[in-house]
């Protein structure tokens, strides 16, 4: 079955950096787009950044220039490099598998357990 295991979250001050990682298994990783979504306290899920099977990336406007998604198909991993973090980035971050190979990620069909990112002053 599909498994997605996130790591790399934590506490960081504004302006700091974190690198999230997601180890994927149970499916043909290189054939699917992958995405990172987040959920802040009291808010709904928000799609942060997506990478297509071919490596094309898309990113939420509010994190553009600060966050970067990447994938390593040889290791079945996807990463989210987060720089210049802001308090409004505080959320649980989830790695998710898209149902297709496109950067538009039509539908999320599997999601990990999440990793907490807290940006505090």
């Amino acid at each position: 079955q599909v498994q997605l295991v996130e790591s790399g979250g934590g506490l960081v001050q504004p302006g700091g950096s974190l690198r999230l990682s997601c180890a994927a298994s149970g499916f043909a990783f290189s054939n699917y787009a992958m995405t990172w979504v987040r959920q802040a306290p009291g808010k709904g899920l928000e799609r942060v950044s997506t990478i297509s099977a071919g490596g094309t990336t898309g990113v939420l406007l509010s994190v553009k220039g600060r966050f970067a998604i990447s994938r390593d198909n040889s290791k079945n991993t996807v990463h989210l490099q987060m720089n210049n973090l802001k308090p409004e980035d505080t959320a649980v971050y989830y790695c998710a598998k898209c149902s297709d190979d496109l950067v538009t990620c039509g539908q999320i069909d599997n999601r990990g357990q999440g990793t907490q990112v807290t940006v505090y002053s």
Side-chain angles (χ1 to χ4, degrees), residues 6 10 31 34 43-44 49 53 55 60 68 76 78-79 81 85-86 88 94 106 110 112:
E6 302 95 338
N31 290 348
M34 298 294 294
K43 297 188 177 181
S49 190
L60 182 68
N76 286 7
V78 59
H79 304 281
Q81 178 66 44
L85 282 158
K86 302 177 180 181
E88 52 264 40
Y94 300 91
N110 285 276

Side-chain angles (χ1 to χ4, degrees), residues 39-120:
Q39 188 165 27
K43 297 188 177 181
L45 283 172
E46 179 177 53
R47 198 173 292 182
V48 178
S49 190
T50 302
I51 186 165
S52 73
T56 301
T57 62
V59 66
L60 182 68
L61 190 59
S62 62
V63 306
K64 192 173 184 178
R66 301 189 296 121
F67 290 13
I69 192 171
S70 61
R71 67 189 296 160
D72 185 340
N73 289 339
S74 69
K75 297 181 180 178
N76 286 7
T77 56
V78 59
H79 304 281
L80 185 68
Q81 178 66 44
M82 305 187 296
N83 299 326
N84 191 20
L85 282 158
K86 302 177 180 181
E88 52 264 40
D89 295 319
T90 295
V92 178
Y93 284 71
Y94 300 91
C95 171
K97 173 186 171 293
C98 303
S99 59
D100 55 34
D101 61 348
L102 304 174
V103 72
T104 48
C105 186
Q107 187 174 354
I108 289 172
D109 57 16
N110 285 276
R111 194 175 71 183
Q113 293 297 309
T115 185
Q116 177 72 47
V117 171
T118 302
V119 185
Y120 69 102

Side-chain angles (χ1 to χ4, degrees), residues 17-54:
S17 297
L18 286 172
R19 180 177 170 85
L20 305 183
S21 296
C22 172
S25 62
F27 65 102
F29 179 78
S30 63
N31 290 348
Y32 292 91
M34 298 294 294
T35 191
W36 287 94
V37 298
R38 68 185 180 186
Q39 188 165 27
K43 297 188 177 181
L45 283 172
E46 179 177 53
R47 198 173 292 182
V48 178
S49 190
T50 302
I51 186 165
S52 73

